[in-house]
Amino acid sequence: MPATDGIPQSPLQIAIVGMGNVGTGVAKILIEQADRIAHRAGRPVVVKHAIVKDETKSRDIVLPPGVLSSDLSRVLNDPTVTVAVETIGGLHPAKETVLALLKAGKDVVTANKALLCEYGHELFGTARELGRTIAFEAAVAGGIPIIAAVGQSMAANQIIGIQAILNGTSNYILTEMQLYGRSYAAALKQAQDLGYAEADPSLDVNGTDAAQKLSILVQLAFGTKLAVADFPVVGIDAVDQTDIRCAEELGYTIKLLASAKLTGKHIELSVRPTLVKKDRPLSQIPGPFNAILLEGDMVGPVWYSGRGAGQLPTASAVTADIIDIAVGRAQLTFSRLDLWREKPAFTNLGLDDYTSRYFLRLKVEDKPRVMADITGILGKHGISLASVIQPETPEVDSAAANVPVVPLIIMTHRTTAGQLAAANRDFDKLPAIHHPRVCLAVAD
Ligand code: NDP
Ligand code: HSE
């Protein structure tokens, strides 16, 4: 084919399987920015097939006639289509779809972290056997090029630490609760309406989505496969306004923090609501933004931030993968990614040995000896106190039948999860400590 402005006219024909929020964004970029994409990909990129579940649904995009269908076999049987985007989401039929696409000779781009976390080993193995590529920049932190950063740009380093905000929905909810006093339920509904949340939003708010992304980053950074069940994962669903206000008064913001730290041969990783000092950049990441602080042993700290969810930011990363495949970069990167070593160099630290500082919020009966009992239990388990705050309450008649219940905030020095669990078991035996008890990590 003759070239115009150096761009050959034979197009790269692609399929998008899953035309929801993200798939539609990819089609929009490819159609509305066609010249830019053609220039960067070295040839026009054309959506030949767009596959959905329900063809009758109204769509936020107009596609040329004959492109939209619910028949995947049109893609599988079309040899002119060499790249397919999987934006169905979830595990099934996404897994079967990606395997079928690879077997039909297509390179695959996916934004599906749940799929890679659960079946990455099998899918990557199949792609390698078949000489195909799987590109997945959008699977972690939406529009932030973090896969390229960890997989390629920091290749001279051993990454020794990751601290990150990886779920846009949770960060959006926490921001709305903190800055505007909005309720958890109203903020979640808004995140869903804005297209940030997963089809099943419980995966966002219970920490699973961030944990899947952390697991992928850990595999790239440390060559170690750890499933979400292998490390502590706590969501924001239990965080309430009281915790947000208490943390604020102490000079902290609560963030759903995903962190991984290398100590010797061991990795310590977790996803949990965490108090982050207000002067730290991570505490100031708003709304659907994500942020990742990587620590390399050669380069030191490197900081990434941007939109971690939403249609065009995510589609931006998917489109970059399509361009990388078009110019041959993705194949090269994929063949060299350090994924899932047979004998990982690093292993998970025993969960009881994980260490952190903690914020404890207890509801306690305001009567003699309670404080002594609590500090006694913490002392017995070797937990050192950094501060204790019990707001002053009005004097009550000591002969009254009902003892008032007051909040007690304790900040601990660094301790192990095992020590804290043992103290909590002893707290269970004290009737003067009421439920619920809140225990949040404090970031270093
Ligand atoms: P949506 O739920 O909006 O879209 C899913 C799409 O898949 C729909 O078009 C649906 O069809 C289609 N689909 C469902 N089942 C099938 C099937 N069996 N065969 C063909 N198509 C099917 O999801 P999102 O676009 O929000 O997310 C897609 C992926 O991107 C997920 O893996 C998600 O984790 C990931 N992601 C999402 C981000 C975001 O901000 N939303 C950010 C980063 C990653 P129909 O339209 O007919 O119902
Ligand atoms: N539901 C995800 C989030 C989408 O809120 O971060 C991006 O992966």
Side-chain angles (χ1 to χ4, degrees):
M1 283 272 180
T4 307
D5 291 338
I7 299 175
Q9 294 304 290
S10 94
L12 174 71
Q13 308 212 79
I14 72 153
I16 303 176
V17 186
M19 282 290 286
N21 194 32
V22 179
T24 301
V26 176
K28 279 184 187 168
I29 293 181
L30 293 177
I31 293 167
E32 290 165 16
Q33 307 299 337
D35 289 348
R36 181 195 299 170
I37 304 302
H39 183 69
R40 308 250 160 99
R43 54 187 168 142
V45 178
V46 173
V47 182
K48 189 161 179 205
H49 304 287
I51 307 299
V52 294
K53 189 171 182 183
D54 177 1
E55 277 178 63
T56 64
K57 233 185 204 176
S58 77
R59 307 267 156 199
D60 178 25
I61 187 167
V62 180
L63 294 166
V67 170
L68 193 83
S69 89
S70 56
D71 182 4
L72 181 68
S73 69
R74 292 179 61 187
V75 180
L76 300 177
N77 296 327
D78 185 343
T80 68
V81 168
T82 52
V83 180
V85 174
E86 180 277 307
T87 35
I88 298 174
L91 298 181
H92 306 285
K95 179 192 175 197
E96 295 71 21
T97 304
V98 170
L99 285 172
L101 290 166
L102 292 169
K103 286 176 185 160
K106 326 291 180 199
D107 290 322
V108 172
V109 178
T110 180
N112 191 338
K113 56 272 164 166
L115 179 70
L116 294 181
C117 195
E118 186 72 24
Y119 297 116
H121 190 60
E122 183 180 342
L123 297 176
F124 283 92
T126 304
R128 289 206 164 106
E129 269 169 34
L130 296 168
R132 302 263 60 89
T133 297
I134 299 177
F136 54 100
E137 183 58 73
V140 180
I144 305 174
I146 194 65
I147 299 297
V150 177
Q152 302 163 48
S153 314
M154 297 212 17
N157 292 262
Q158 174 57 59
I159 288 172
I160 51 179
I162 301 172
Q163 278 197 328
I165 292 169
L166 293 176
N167 185 262
T169 301
S170 296
N171 204 55
Y172 181 84
I173 295 171
L174 290 174
T175 307
E176 292 289 305
M177 287 172 76
Q178 188 195 352
L179 296 185
Y180 312 112
R182 198 153 282 156
S183 75
Y184 171 89
L188 171 58
K189 168 80 173 56
Q190 212 165 1
Q192 289 178 284
D193 291 346
L194 290 165
Y196 304 147
E198 295 302 302
D200 172 4
S202 64
L203 298 175
D204 292 294
V205 296
N206 71 14
T208 303
D209 176 83
Q212 288 165 342
K213 292 166 179 166
L214 182 65
S215 164
I216 293 171
L217 287 184
V218 160
Q219 287 169 35
L220 282 173
F222 306 113
T224 303
K225 177 166 170 48
L226 288 170
V228 170
D230 295 335
F231 55 95
V233 177
V234 183
I236 62 156
D237 33 8
V239 175
D240 67 17
Q241 280 289 358
T242 315
D243 300 310
I244 290 175
R245 298 290 151 234
C246 284
E248 204 160 16
E249 277 169 33
L250 292 164
Y252 293 88
T253 303
I254 298 181
K255 291 291 185 191
L256 184 67
L257 203 69
S259 72
K261 188 173 67 178
L262 198 61
T263 317
K265 293 281 176 200
H266 294 300
I267 317 165
E268 209 174 315
L269 66 161
S270 59
V271 170
R272 52 193 174 181
T274 302
L275 274 71
V276 183
K277 266 271 182 227
K278 275 188 188 165
D279 59 3
R280 296 270 308 276
L282 271 173
S283 79
Q284 288 152 27
I285 300 302
F289 279 71
N290 283 189
I292 303 115
L293 177 62
L294 297 176
E295 178 94 24
D297 62 351
M298 298 292 119
V299 68
V302 183
W303 175 256
Y304 297 85
S305 166
R307 288 187 185 273
Q311 185 173 75
L312 292 179
T314 309
S316 152
V318 172
T319 308
D321 277 346
I322 297 170
I323 293 171
D324 271 1
I325 289 176
V327 300
R329 263 195 307 263
Q331 291 82 340
L332 198 60
T333 306
F334 184 66
S335 67
R336 285 166 192 272
L337 280 183
D338 188 14
L339 285 165
W340 296 289
R341 287 189 196 118
E342 281 304 314
K343 284 195 181 151
F346 309 109
T347 54
N348 194 4
L349 188 69
L351 295 189
D352 277 352
D353 297 328
Y354 274 44
T355 65
S356 181
R357 296 186 292 134
Y358 288 98
F359 158 98
L360 308 179
R361 181 165 68 84
L362 309 178
K363 285 158 80 178
V364 299
E365 291 176 10
D366 190 7
K367 63 180 189 187
R369 277 220 58 80
V370 172
M371 182 73 88
D373 287 342
I374 290 170
T375 54
I377 287 172
L378 292 171
K380 172 181 151 195
H381 295 289
I383 299 172
S384 171
L385 307 187
S387 74
V388 179
I389 301 169
Q390 182 185 318
E392 192 177 354
T393 48
E395 268 309 295
V396 289
D397 178 1
S398 57
N402 290 328
V403 181
V405 174
V406 296
L408 179 66
I409 313 291
I410 298 175
M411 299 288 278
T412 76
H413 284 298
R414 180 167 286 282
T415 185
T416 67
Q419 286 169 295
L420 191 71
N424 259 316
R425 284 193 293 274
D426 281 355
F427 285 163
D428 285 338
K429 296 175 202 151
L430 279 188
I433 304 181
H434 291 211
H435 283 275
R437 291 199 292 263
V438 175
C439 172
L440 301 175
V442 180
D444 291 325

